[in-house]
Coordinates of all heavy atoms in Angstrom, one line a residue:
M1 N 25.5 8.0 -1.9 CA 24.2 8.2 -2.4 C 23.7 6.8 -3.0 O 22.5 6.5 -2.8 CB 24.2 9.2 -3.5 CG 22.9 9.6 -4.1 SD 22.0 10.4 -2.8 CE 20.6 10.9 -3.6
V2 N 24.6 6.1 -3.6 CA 24.2 4.8 -4.2 C 23.8 3.8 -3.1 O 22.9 3.0 -3.3 CB 25.3 4.3 -5.1 CG1 25.0 2.9 -5.6 CG2 25.5 5.2 -6.3
M3 N 24.6 3.9 -2.0 CA 24.2 3.0 -0.9 C 22.8 3.3 -0.3 O 22.1 2.3 0.0 CB 25.3 3.1 0.2 CG 26.6 2.7 -0.1 SD 27.9 2.7 1.1 CE 27.3 3.8 2.4
I4 N 22.5 4.5 -0.3 CA 21.1 4.9 0.2 C 20.1 4.4 -0.8 O 19.0 3.9 -0.4 CB 21.0 6.4 0.4 CG1 22.0 6.9 1.5 CG2 19.6 6.8 0.7 CD1 22.1 8.4 1.7
V5 N 20.3 4.5 -2.1 CA 19.4 4.0 -3.1 C 19.2 2.5 -3.0 O 18.1 2.0 -3.0 CB 19.9 4.4 -4.5 CG1 19.1 3.7 -5.6 CG2 19.8 5.9 -4.7
M6 N 20.3 1.8 -2.8 CA 20.2 0.3 -2.6 C 19.3 0.0 -1.4 O 18.5 -0.9 -1.5 CB 21.6 -0.3 -2.4 CG 22.4 -0.4 -3.7 SD 23.8 -1.4 -3.6 CE 24.9 -0.4 -2.5
F7 N 19.6 0.6 -0.3 CA 18.8 0.3 0.9 C 17.4 0.7 0.8 O 16.5 0.0 1.2 CB 19.5 1.1 2.1 CG 19.1 0.4 3.4 CD1 19.7 -0.7 3.8 CD2 18.2 1.0 4.3 CE1 19.4 -1.3 5.0 CE2 17.8 0.5 5.5 CZ 18.4 -0.7 5.8
V8 N 17.1 1.9 0.2 CA 15.7 2.3 0.0 C 15.0 1.3 -1.0 O 13.8 1.0 -0.8 CB 15.6 3.7 -0.6 CG1 14.2 4.1 -1.1 CG2 16.1 4.7 0.5
L9 N 15.6 0.8 -2.0 CA 15.0 -0.2 -2.9 C 14.7 -1.4 -2.1 O 13.6 -2.0 -2.3 CB 16.0 -0.5 -4.1 CG 16.0 0.5 -5.2 CD1 17.2 0.1 -6.2 CD2 14.7 0.5 -6.0
A10 N 15.6 -1.9 -1.3 CA 15.4 -3.1 -0.5 C 14.2 -2.9 0.4 O 13.4 -3.8 0.6 CB 16.6 -3.5 0.2
V11 N 14.1 -1.8 1.1 CA 13.0 -1.6 2.1 C 11.7 -1.4 1.3 O 10.7 -1.9 1.8 CB 13.3 -0.3 2.9 CG1 12.1 0.1 3.7 CG2 14.5 -0.6 3.8
S12 N 11.7 -0.8 0.1 CA 10.5 -0.7 -0.7 C 10.0 -2.1 -1.1 O 8.8 -2.4 -1.0 CB 10.8 0.2 -1.9 OG 11.2 1.4 -1.5
I13 N 10.9 -2.9 -1.5 CA 10.5 -4.3 -1.9 C 9.9 -5.0 -0.8 O 8.9 -5.7 -0.9 CB 11.7 -5.0 -2.6 CG1 12.1 -4.4 -3.9 CG2 11.4 -6.5 -2.7 CD1 11.0 -4.6 -5.0
M14 N 10.6 -4.9 0.4 CA 10.1 -5.6 1.6 C 8.7 -5.1 1.9 O 7.8 -5.9 2.3 CB 11.1 -5.4 2.7 CG 10.7 -6.2 4.0 SD 11.9 -6.2 5.2 CE 12.8 -7.7 4.8
G15 N 8.5 -3.8 1.8 CA 7.1 -3.3 2.1 C 6.1 -3.8 1.1 O 5.0 -4.1 1.5
M16 N 6.5 -3.9 -0.2 CA 5.5 -4.5 -1.1 C 5.2 -5.9 -0.8 O 4.0 -6.3 -0.9 CB 6.1 -4.4 -2.5 CG 6.2 -3.0 -3.1 SD 7.1 -2.9 -4.6 CE 6.1 -3.8 -5.7
V17 N 6.2 -6.7 -0.4 CA 6.0 -8.1 -0.1 C 5.1 -8.2 1.2 O 4.2 -9.0 1.2 CB 7.3 -8.8 0.1 CG1 7.1 -10.2 0.7 CG2 8.0 -8.9 -1.3
L18 N 5.3 -7.4 2.2 CA 4.5 -7.4 3.3 C 3.1 -7.0 3.0 O 2.1 -7.5 3.6 CB 5.1 -6.5 4.4 CG 6.4 -7.0 5.0 CD1 7.0 -6.0 6.0 CD2 6.2 -8.4 5.7
N19 N 2.9 -6.1 2.1 CA 1.5 -5.7 1.7 C 0.8 -6.8 1.0 O -0.3 -7.1 1.2 CB 1.6 -4.4 0.8 CG 0.3 -3.9 0.5 OD1 -0.7 -4.1 1.1 ND2 0.2 -3.1 -0.6
V20 N 1.5 -7.5 0.1 CA 0.9 -8.7 -0.6 C 0.6 -9.8 0.4 O -0.4 -10.4 0.4 CB 1.9 -9.2 -1.7 CG1 1.4 -10.6 -2.2 CG2 2.0 -8.2 -2.8
T21 N 1.5 -10.0 1.4 CA 1.3 -11.0 2.4 C 0.1 -10.7 3.3 O -0.7 -11.6 3.6 CB 2.5 -11.0 3.4 OG1 3.7 -11.3 2.5 CG2 2.4 -12.1 4.4
A22 N -0.2 -9.4 3.6 CA -1.3 -9.0 4.5 C -2.6 -9.1 3.8 O -3.7 -9.2 4.4 CB -1.0 -7.6 5.1
S23 N -2.6 -8.9 2.4 CA -3.9 -8.9 1.7 C -4.3 -10.3 1.4 O -3.5 -11.1 0.9 CB -3.7 -8.1 0.4 OG -2.8 -8.7 -0.4
P24 N -5.6 -10.6 1.6 CA -6.1 -11.9 1.2 C -6.3 -12.1 -0.3 O -6.3 -11.1 -1.0 CB -7.4 -12.0 2.0 CG -7.9 -10.6 2.1 CD -6.6 -9.8 2.2
G25 N -6.4 -13.3 -0.7 CA -6.7 -13.6 -2.1 C -5.5 -13.9 -2.9 O -4.5 -14.4 -2.4
E26 N -5.6 -13.6 -4.2 CA -4.5 -13.9 -5.2 C -3.2 -13.2 -4.8 O -3.3 -12.0 -4.4 CB -5.0 -13.5 -6.6 CG -6.2 -14.2 -7.1 CD -5.8 -15.5 -7.8 OE1 -4.7 -15.6 -8.3 OE2 -6.6 -16.4 -7.8
V27 N -2.1 -13.8 -5.1 CA -0.8 -13.2 -4.9 C -0.4 -12.5 -6.1 O -0.4 -13.0 -7.2 CB 0.2 -14.3 -4.5 CG1 1.6 -13.7 -4.4 CG2 -0.2 -15.0 -3.2
N28 N 0.0 -11.2 -6.0 CA 0.6 -10.4 -7.1 C 2.0 -10.8 -7.2 O 2.8 -10.7 -6.2 CB 0.4 -9.0 -6.8 CG 0.8 -8.1 -7.9 OD1 1.2 -8.6 -9.0 ND2 0.6 -6.8 -7.7
L29 N 2.5 -11.2 -8.4 CA 3.8 -11.7 -8.6 C 4.8 -10.6 -9.0 O 6.0 -10.9 -9.3 CB 3.9 -12.9 -9.5 CG 3.2 -14.2 -8.9 CD1 3.2 -15.3 -9.9 CD2 3.8 -14.6 -7.6
V30 N 4.3 -9.4 -9.2 CA 5.2 -8.3 -9.6 C 6.3 -8.1 -8.6 O 7.5 -8.0 -9.0 CB 4.4 -7.0 -9.8 CG1 5.3 -5.8 -10.0 CG2 3.5 -7.2 -11.0
P31 N 6.1 -8.1 -7.2 CA 7.2 -8.0 -6.3 C 8.2 -9.1 -6.4 O 9.4 -8.9 -6.2 CB 6.5 -7.9 -4.9 CG 5.1 -7.5 -5.2 CD 4.8 -8.0 -6.5
L32 N 7.7 -10.3 -6.7 CA 8.7 -11.4 -6.9 C 9.6 -11.2 -8.0 O 10.8 -11.4 -7.9 CB 7.9 -12.7 -7.0 CG 8.8 -14.0 -7.1 CD1 9.6 -14.2 -5.9 CD2 7.9 -15.2 -7.4
S33 N 9.1 -10.7 -9.2 CA 9.9 -10.4 -10.3 C 10.9 -9.3 -10.0 O 12.1 -9.3 -10.4 CB 9.1 -10.1 -11.5 OG 8.3 -9.0 -11.3
L34 N 10.4 -8.3 -9.2 CA 11.3 -7.2 -8.8 C 12.4 -7.7 -7.9 O 13.6 -7.3 -7.9 CB 10.6 -6.1 -8.1 CG 9.7 -5.2 -9.0 CD1 8.9 -4.3 -8.2 CD2 10.6 -4.5 -10.0
C35 N 12.1 -8.6 -7.0 CA 13.1 -9.2 -6.1 C 14.2 -9.9 -6.8 O 15.3 -9.8 -6.6 CB 12.4 -10.2 -5.1 SG 11.4 -9.4 -3.8
I36 N 13.7 -10.8 -7.8 CA 14.7 -11.5 -8.6 C 15.6 -10.6 -9.4 O 16.8 -10.8 -9.5 CB 14.0 -12.5 -9.5 CG1 13.1 -13.5 -8.7 CG2 15.0 -13.3 -10.4 CD1 13.9 -14.3 -7.6
A37 N 15.0 -9.5 -10.0 CA 15.8 -8.6 -10.7 C 16.8 -7.8 -9.8 O 17.9 -7.6 -10.2 CB 14.9 -7.6 -11.4
L38 N 16.4 -7.5 -8.6 CA 17.3 -6.8 -7.7 C 18.4 -7.7 -7.1 O 19.4 -7.2 -6.8 CB 16.5 -6.2 -6.5 CG 15.9 -4.8 -6.8 CD1 15.1 -4.3 -5.6 CD2 16.9 -3.8 -7.2
I39 N 18.1 -9.0 -7.0 CA 19.1 -9.9 -6.5 C 20.4 -9.8 -7.4 O 21.5 -9.8 -7.0 CB 18.6 -11.3 -6.4 CG1 17.7 -11.4 -5.2 CG2 19.7 -12.3 -6.3 CD1 17.0 -12.7 -5.0
F40 N 20.1 -9.7 -8.7 CA 21.2 -9.6 -9.7 C 21.5 -8.1 -10.0 O 22.6 -7.9 -10.5 CB 20.8 -10.3 -11.0 CG 20.6 -11.8 -10.8 CD1 19.4 -12.4 -10.7 CD2 21.7 -12.6 -10.6 CE1 19.2 -13.7 -10.5 CE2 21.6 -14.0 -10.4 CZ 20.3 -14.5 -10.4
G41 N 20.6 -7.2 -9.8 CA 20.9 -5.8 -10.1 C 21.6 -5.0 -9.1 O 22.4 -4.1 -9.4
L42 N 21.5 -5.4 -7.8 CA 22.2 -4.7 -6.7 C 23.7 -4.8 -6.9 O 24.4 -3.8 -6.7 CB 21.7 -5.1 -5.4 CG 20.3 -4.6 -4.9 CD1 20.0 -5.2 -3.6 CD2 20.3 -3.1 -4.9
P43 N 24.3 -6.0 -7.2 CA 25.7 -6.0 -7.4 C 26.2 -5.1 -8.6 O 27.2 -4.5 -8.5 CB 26.0 -7.5 -7.7 CG 24.9 -8.2 -7.0 CD 23.7 -7.3 -7.2
A44 N 25.4 -5.1 -9.6 CA 25.7 -4.2 -10.7 C 25.6 -2.7 -10.3 O 26.5 -1.9 -10.7 CB 24.8 -4.5 -11.9
L45 N 24.6 -2.4 -9.5 CA 24.5 -1.0 -9.0 C 25.7 -0.7 -8.1 O 26.1 0.5 -8.1 CB 23.2 -0.9 -8.3 CG 22.8 0.5 -7.7 CD1 22.7 1.5 -8.9 CD2 21.5 0.5 -7.0
R46 N 26.2 -1.6 -7.3 CA 27.3 -1.4 -6.5 C 28.6 -1.1 -7.3 O 29.3 -0.2 -6.9 CB 27.6 -2.6 -5.6 CG 28.7 -2.4 -4.6 CD 29.1 -3.7 -4.0 NE 30.2 -3.6 -3.1 CZ 31.5 -3.5 -3.5 NH1 31.8 -3.6 -4.8 NH2 32.5 -3.3 -2.6
T47 N 28.7 -1.8 -8.4 CA 30.0 -1.6 -9.2 C 29.9 -0.3 -10.0 O 31.0 0.1 -10.5 CB 30.2 -2.7 -10.1 OG1 29.1 -2.9 -11.0 CG2 30.5 -4.0 -9.4
V48 N 28.8 0.4 -10.1 CA 28.6 1.6 -10.8 C 29.3 2.8 -10.1 O 29.8 3.7 -10.7 CB 27.1 1.9 -11.1 CG1 26.9 3.4 -11.6 CG2 26.5 1.0 -12.0
Q49 N 29.5 2.6 -8.8 CA 30.1 3.7 -8.0 C 31.5 4.0 -8.4 O 32.2 3.0 -8.7 CB 30.1 3.3 -6.5 CG 28.7 3.0 -5.9 CD 28.8 2.6 -4.5 OE1 29.2 3.3 -3.6 NE2 28.5 1.3 -4.2
P50 N 31.9 5.2 -8.4 CA 33.3 5.5 -8.8 C 34.2 5.1 -7.7 O 34.0 5.2 -6.5 CB 33.3 7.0 -8.9 CG 32.1 7.5 -8.1 CD 31.1 6.4 -8.2
N51 N 35.4 4.6 -8.1 CA 36.5 4.1 -7.2 C 35.9 3.1 -6.2 O 36.3 3.2 -5.0 CB 37.1 5.3 -6.5 CG 37.7 6.3 -7.5 OD1 38.3 5.9 -8.5 ND2 37.6 7.5 -7.2
V52 N 35.1 2.2 -6.6 CA 34.5 1.2 -5.7 C 35.6 0.2 -5.3 O 36.4 -0.3 -6.1 CB 33.3 0.5 -6.4 CG1 33.7 -0.3 -7.5 CG2 32.6 -0.4 -5.3
P53 N 35.7 0.0 -3.9 CA 36.7 -1.0 -3.4 C 36.2 -2.4 -3.6 O 35.0 -2.6 -4.0 CB 36.8 -0.6 -2.0 CG 35.5 0.0 -1.6 CD 35.1 0.7 -2.8
G54 N 37.0 -3.3 -3.3 CA 36.6 -4.7 -3.4 C 35.5 -5.1 -2.4 O 35.2 -4.3 -1.5
M55 N 34.9 -6.2 -2.5 CA 33.9 -6.7 -1.6 C 34.4 -6.8 -0.2 O 35.5 -7.2 0.0 CB 33.3 -8.0 -2.1 CG 32.4 -7.9 -3.3 SD 30.9 -7.0 -3.0 CE 30.1 -8.1 -1.9
G56 N 33.6 -6.6 0.7 CA 33.9 -6.8 2.1 C 34.3 -5.5 2.9 O 34.7 -5.6 4.1
V57 N 34.2 -4.4 2.3 CA 34.5 -3.1 3.0 C 33.4 -2.7 3.9 O 32.3 -3.3 3.8 CB 34.9 -2.0 2.0 CG1 36.1 -2.3 1.2 CG2 33.8 -1.7 1.1
L58 N 33.6 -1.8 4.8 CA 32.6 -1.4 5.8 C 31.3 -0.9 5.1 O 30.2 -1.2 5.6 CB 33.2 -0.3 6.6 CG 32.2 0.3 7.7 CD1 31.9 -0.9 8.7 CD2 32.9 1.4 8.4
S59 N 31.4 -0.2 4.0 CA 30.2 0.2 3.3 C 29.3 -0.9 2.8 O 28.1 -0.8 2.8 CB 30.5 1.2 2.1 OG 31.2 0.4 1.2
D60 N 29.9 -2.1 2.5 CA 29.1 -3.2 2.1 C 28.4 -3.8 3.3 O 27.2 -4.2 3.2 CB 30.0 -4.3 1.6 CG 30.6 -4.0 0.2 OD1 29.9 -3.2 -0.5 OD2 31.6 -4.6 -0.2
Y61 N 29.0 -3.8 4.5 CA 28.3 -4.3 5.7 C 27.2 -3.3 6.1 O 26.2 -3.8 6.7 CB 29.3 -4.5 6.8 CG 30.2 -5.6 6.6 CD1 31.6 -5.4 6.4 CD2 29.8 -6.9 6.5 CE1 32.5 -6.4 6.2 CE2 30.6 -8.0 6.3 CZ 32.0 -7.7 6.1 OH 32.8 -8.8 5.9
I62 N 27.3 -2.1 5.8 CA 26.3 -1.1 6.2 C 25.1 -1.2 5.3 O 23.9 -1.1 5.7 CB 26.9 0.3 6.2 CG1 27.9 0.5 7.3 CG2 25.8 1.4 6.3 CD1 28.7 1.8 7.3
S63 N 25.3 -1.3 4.0 CA 24.1 -1.2 3.1 C 24.0 -2.4 2.1 O 22.9 -3.0 2.0 CB 24.2 0.1 2.3 OG 25.3 0.1 1.3
F64 N 25.0 -2.7 1.4 CA 24.9 -3.7 0.3 C 24.5 -5.1 0.8 O 23.5 -5.7 0.3 CB 26.2 -3.8 -0.5 CG 26.2 -4.9 -1.6 CD1 25.4 -4.7 -2.7 CD2 26.9 -6.0 -1.4 CE1 25.4 -5.7 -3.7 CE2 26.9 -7.0 -2.4 CZ 26.1 -6.9 -3.5
I65 N 25.1 -5.6 1.8 CA 24.8 -6.9 2.3 C 23.4 -7.0 2.9 O 22.7 -7.9 2.7 CB 25.9 -7.4 3.2 CG1 27.2 -7.6 2.5 CG2 25.5 -8.7 3.9 CD1 28.4 -7.9 3.3
W66 N 23.1 -5.9 3.6 CA 21.7 -5.9 4.2 C 20.7 -5.8 3.2 O 19.6 -6.4 3.3 CB 21.6 -4.7 5.2 CG 22.3 -5.1 6.5 CD1 23.5 -4.6 6.9 CD2 21.8 -6.0 7.5 NE1 23.8 -5.2 8.2 CE2 22.8 -6.0 8.5 CE3 20.7 -6.7 7.6 CZ2 22.6 -6.8 9.7 CZ3 20.5 -7.5 8.8 CH2 21.5 -7.5 9.8
A67 N 20.9 -5.0 2.1 CA 20.0 -4.8 1.0 C 19.8 -6.2 0.3 O 18.6 -6.6 0.0 CB 20.4 -3.7 0.1
E68 N 20.9 -6.9 0.0 CA 20.8 -8.2 -0.6 C 20.0 -9.2 0.3 O 19.2 -9.9 -0.2 CB 22.1 -8.7 -0.9 CG 22.8 -8.2 -2.2 CD 22.2 -8.7 -3.5 OE1 21.6 -9.8 -3.5 OE2 22.3 -8.0 -4.5
F69 N 20.3 -9.1 1.6 CA 19.6 -10.0 2.5 C 18.1 -9.7 2.5 O 17.3 -10.7 2.5 CB 20.2 -9.8 3.9 CG 19.6 -10.7 5.0 CD1 19.8 -12.0 5.0 CD2 18.8 -10.1 5.9 CE1 19.2 -12.8 5.9 CE2 18.2 -10.9 6.9 CZ 18.4 -12.2 6.9
M70 N 17.7 -8.5 2.6 CA 16.3 -8.1 2.6 C 15.6 -8.5 1.4 O 14.5 -9.1 1.4 CB 16.1 -6.6 2.9 CG 16.3 -6.2 4.3 SD 15.8 -4.5 4.7 CE 17.2 -3.6 3.9
V71 N 16.2 -8.3 0.2 CA 15.6 -8.7 -1.1 C 15.5 -10.2 -1.2 O 14.5 -10.7 -1.6 CB 16.4 -8.1 -2.2 CG1 15.9 -8.6 -3.6 CG2 16.3 -6.5 -2.2
S72 N 16.5 -10.9 -0.8 CA 16.5 -12.4 -0.8 C 15.4 -13.0 0.1 O 14.7 -13.9 -0.3 CB 17.8 -13.0 -0.5 OG 18.8 -12.5 -1.3
I73 N 15.3 -12.5 1.3 CA 14.3 -13.0 2.2 C 12.9 -12.6 1.7 O 12.0 -13.4 1.8 CB 14.5 -12.4 3.6 CG1 15.8 -12.9 4.2 CG2 13.4 -12.6 4.5 CD1 15.9 -14.4 4.4
S74 N 12.8 -11.4 1.1 CA 11.5 -11.1 0.6 C 11.1 -12.0 -0.6 O 9.9 -12.4 -0.7 CB 11.5 -9.6 0.1 OG 11.7 -8.7 1.1
A75 N 12.0 -12.3 -1.4 CA 11.7 -13.2 -2.6 C 11.3 -14.6 -2.0 O 10.3 -15.2 -2.5 CB 12.9 -13.4 -3.5
I76 N 12.0 -15.1 -1.1 CA 11.7 -16.4 -0.5 C 10.3 -16.4 0.2 O 9.5 -17.3 0.0 CB 12.8 -16.9 0.5 CG1 14.1 -17.2 -0.3 CG2 12.4 -18.1 1.3 CD1 15.3 -17.3 0.6
M77 N 10.1 -15.4 0.9 CA 8.8 -15.2 1.6 C 7.6 -15.2 0.7 O 6.6 -15.8 0.8 CB 8.9 -14.0 2.5 CG 7.8 -13.9 3.5 SD 8.0 -12.6 4.8 CE 7.8 -11.1 3.8
L78 N 7.8 -14.4 -0.4 CA 6.7 -14.2 -1.4 C 6.5 -15.5 -2.1 O 5.3 -15.9 -2.4 CB 7.0 -13.1 -2.3 CG 5.8 -12.7 -3.2 CD1 4.6 -12.3 -2.5 CD2 6.3 -11.6 -4.1
A79 N 7.5 -16.2 -2.5 CA 7.4 -17.5 -3.2 C 6.7 -18.5 -2.3 O 5.8 -19.3 -2.8 CB 8.8 -18.0 -3.7
W80 N 7.0 -18.5 -1.1 CA 6.4 -19.5 -0.1 C 4.9 -19.2 0.0 O 4.1 -20.1 0.0 CB 7.2 -19.4 1.2 CG 6.7 -20.4 2.2 CD1 5.9 -20.2 3.3 CD2 7.0 -21.8 2.2 NE1 5.7 -21.3 3.9 CE2 6.4 -22.4 3.3 CE3 7.7 -22.6 1.3 CZ2 6.4 -23.7 3.6 CZ3 7.8 -24.0 1.6 CH2 7.2 -24.5 2.7
I81 N 4.6 -17.9 0.2 CA 3.2 -17.5 0.3 C 2.4 -17.9 -1.0 O 1.3 -18.3 -0.9 CB 3.1 -16.0 0.7 CG1 3.6 -15.8 2.1 CG2 1.7 -15.5 0.5 CD1 3.8 -14.4 2.5
W82 N 3.0 -17.6 -2.1 CA 2.4 -18.0 -3.4 C 2.1 -19.5 -3.5 O 1.0 -19.9 -3.9 CB 3.3 -17.5 -4.5 CG 2.8 -17.9 -5.9 CD1 1.5 -17.6 -6.4 CD2 3.5 -18.5 -6.9 NE1 1.4 -18.0 -7.7 CE2 2.6 -18.6 -8.0 CE3 4.7 -19.1 -7.0 CZ2 3.0 -19.2 -9.2 CZ3 5.1 -19.7 -8.2 CH2 4.2 -19.7 -9.3
I83 N 3.0 -20.3 -3.1 CA 2.9 -21.8 -3.1 C 1.7 -22.2 -2.1 O 0.9 -23.0 -2.5 CB 4.2 -22.5 -2.7 CG1 5.2 -22.3 -3.8 CG2 3.9 -24.0 -2.5 CD1 6.6 -22.7 -3.5
I84 N 1.7 -21.6 -0.9 CA 0.7 -22.0 0.1 C -0.7 -21.6 -0.4 O -1.6 -22.3 -0.4 CB 1.0 -21.4 1.4 CG1 2.3 -22.0 2.0 CG2 -0.1 -21.4 2.4 CD1 2.8 -21.4 3.3
R85 N -0.8 -20.3 -0.9 CA -2.1 -19.8 -1.3 C -2.6 -20.6 -2.6 O -3.8 -20.8 -2.7 CB -2.1 -18.3 -1.6 CG -2.0 -17.6 -0.3 CD -2.2 -16.1 -0.5 NE -2.0 -15.4 0.7 CZ -2.0 -14.0 0.8 NH1 -2.1 -13.3 -0.3 NH2 -1.8 -13.4 1.9
S86 N -1.7 -20.9 -3.5 CA -2.2 -21.6 -4.7 C -2.6 -23.0 -4.3 O -3.6 -23.6 -4.9 CB -1.1 -21.7 -5.8 OG 0.0 -22.4 -5.3
R87 N -1.9 -23.7 -3.4 CA -2.3 -25.0 -2.9 C -3.7 -24.9 -2.2 O -4.6 -25.8 -2.5 CB -1.3 -25.5 -1.9 CG -1.7 -26.9 -1.4 CD -0.7 -27.5 -0.5 NE 0.6 -27.7 -1.2 CZ 1.7 -27.9 -0.6 NH1 1.8 -27.9 0.7 NH2 2.8 -28.2 -1.3
K88 N -3.9 -23.9 -1.4 CA -5.2 -23.7 -0.7 C -6.3 -23.5 -1.8 O -7.4 -24.0 -1.6 CB -5.2 -22.6 0.3 CG -4.5 -23.0 1.5 CD -4.5 -21.8 2.5 CE -3.7 -22.1 3.7 NZ -3.6 -20.9 4.7
S89 N -6.0 -22.7 -2.8 CA -7.0 -22.4 -3.8 C -7.4 -23.7 -4.6 O -8.5 -23.9 -4.9 CB -6.4 -21.4 -4.8 OG -7.3 -21.1 -5.9
R90 N -6.4 -24.5 -4.9 CA -6.7 -25.8 -5.6 C -7.5 -26.7 -4.8 O -8.4 -27.3 -5.2 CB -5.4 -26.4 -6.0 CG -4.7 -25.9 -7.3 CD -3.7 -26.9 -7.8 NE -2.8 -27.3 -6.8 CZ -1.5 -26.8 -6.5 NH1 -1.1 -25.8 -7.2 NH2 -0.8 -27.4 -5.6
E91 N -7.2 -26.8 -3.5 CA -7.9 -27.6 -2.6 C -9.4 -27.2 -2.4 O -10.3 -28.0 -2.4 CB -7.3 -27.7 -1.2 CG -6.0 -28.4 -1.2 CD -5.2 -28.3 0.1 OE1 -5.7 -27.6 1.0 OE2 -4.2 -29.0 0.3
S92 N -9.6 -25.8 -2.3 CA -11.0 -25.3 -2.2 C -11.7 -25.6 -3.5 O -12.9 -25.9 -3.5 CB -11.0 -23.9 -1.8 OG -10.4 -23.1 -2.8
K93 N -11.1 -25.4 -4.7 CA -11.8 -25.7 -5.9 C -12.1 -27.1 -6.1 O -13.2 -27.5 -6.6 CB -10.9 -25.2 -7.1 CG -10.8 -23.7 -7.3 CD -10.0 -23.3 -8.4 CE -9.9 -21.8 -8.5 NZ -9.0 -21.4 -9.6
S94 N -11.2 -28.0 -5.7 CA -11.5 -29.4 -5.8 C -12.6 -29.9 -4.8 O -13.4 -30.7 -5.2 CB -10.3 -30.3 -5.6 OG -9.8 -30.2 -4.2
S95 N -12.7 -29.3 -3.6 CA -13.7 -29.6 -2.7 C -15.1 -29.1 -3.2 O -16.1 -29.7 -3.0 CB -13.4 -29.1 -1.3 OG -13.4 -27.7 -1.3
L96 N -15.1 -27.9 -3.9 CA -16.3 -27.4 -4.4 C -16.8 -28.3 -5.6 O -18.0 -28.5 -5.8 CB -16.1 -26.0 -4.9 CG -16.1 -24.9 -3.9 CD1 -15.7 -23.5 -4.5 CD2 -17.4 -24.8 -3.1
T97 N -15.9 -28.7 -6.4 CA -16.2 -29.6 -7.5 C -16.7 -30.9 -7.0 O -17.7 -31.4 -7.6 CB -15.0 -29.8 -8.4 OG1 -14.5 -28.6 -8.8 CG2 -15.3 -30.6 -9.7
H98 N -16.1 -31.4 -6.0 CA -16.6 -32.7 -5.4 C -17.9 -32.6 -4.8 O -18.8 -33.5 -4.9 CB -15.5 -33.2 -4.4 CG -15.9 -34.5 -3.8 ND1 -15.8 -35.6 -4.5 CD2 -16.3 -34.8 -2.5 CE1 -16.2 -36.7 -3.7 NE2 -16.4 -36.2 -2.5
A99 N -18.2 -31.4 -4.1 CA -19.5 -31.2 -3.5 C -20.6 -31.0 -4.6 O -21.7 -31.4 -4.4 CB -19.5 -30.0 -2.6
N100 N -20.3 -30.4 -5.7 CA -21.2 -30.2 -6.8 C -21.6 -31.5 -7.5 O -22.6 -31.6 -8.1 CB -20.7 -29.1 -7.8 CG -20.7 -27.7 -7.2 OD1 -21.5 -27.5 -6.3 ND2 -19.9 -26.9 -7.8
N101 N -20.7 -32.4 -7.5 CA -20.9 -33.7 -8.2 C -21.8 -34.6 -7.4 O -22.3 -35.6 -8.0 CB -19.6 -34.4 -8.5 CG -18.8 -33.7 -9.6 OD1 -19.3 -33.0 -10.4 ND2 -17.5 -33.9 -9.6
R102 N -22.0 -34.3 -6.2 CA -22.9 -35.2 -5.4 C -24.3 -34.9 -5.7 O -25.1 -34.7 -6.1 CB -22.7 -34.9 -3.9 CG -21.4 -35.4 -3.4 CD -21.3 -35.2 -2.0 NE -20.1 -35.7 -1.5 CZ -19.7 -35.8 -0.2 NH1 -20.6 -35.4 0.7 NH2 -18.6 -36.3 0.1

C-alpha cells in the first residue's frame, strides 16, 4: 500500500508540473516546494513500512526508485521553466521601459 502511495504522489506531482508547464504566464512554485519536500519525504515514507528490507530490493525498483526519479525530474524541469520564464519576463519589461523612454 505504501508503494502505491509513493507512486501516486510522484505521478500527481508530475501532473502538476506538466500543468504549470503548459499554462502560459507566471510559474506557480507550489509544485516545486512539493517536489523538494517529496525528495526528502519519500525515503522517510519508505522506512515507515513494517519489516522494511534494505535498499535495493525488488520493491524499490518497482516503486521507490521510479517515484524518486519522477519527483527529481519534475523539480528540475519546473526550476528550469521558472528560470526561463523569469528571464523572458525581465527582458520584456526592460524592452518596454526602453521603448517608453524614447
Side-chain angles (χ1 to χ4, degrees):
M1 188 68 174
V2 174
M3 292 182 345
I4 293 170
V5 168
M6 285 192 289
F7 201 76
V8 168
L9 280 171
V11 170
S12 299
I13 290 293
M14 185 171 268
M16 290 172 67
V17 169
L18 290 175
N19 188 19
V20 169
T21 303
S23 65
E26 297 272 332
V27 175
N28 187 1
L29 293 179
V30 171
L32 183 61
S33 62
L34 288 173
C35 287
I36 302 304
L38 277 178
I39 287 173
F40 296 103
L42 285 177
L45 184 61
R46 183 192 177 277
T47 58
V48 168
Q49 299 177 68
N51 300 324
V52 64
M55 285 294 294
V57 295
L58 181 63
S59 64
D60 287 340
Y61 292 113
I62 292 172
S63 68
F64 174 71
I65 293 174
W66 283 104
E68 281 284 335
F69 179 71
M70 283 191 284
V71 170
S72 301
I73 293 299
S74 296
I76 292 168
M77 192 167 73
L78 188 59
W80 186 255
I81 289 167
W82 177 53
I83 291 168
I84 290 172
R85 287 190 187 171
S86 65
R87 181 179 292 165
K88 286 180 183 177
S89 175
R90 279 195 314 262
E91 289 173 358
S92 67
K93 285 180 184 178
S94 67
S95 66
L96 286 175
T97 305
H98 183 68
N100 288 337
N101 288 337
R102 288 183 179 190

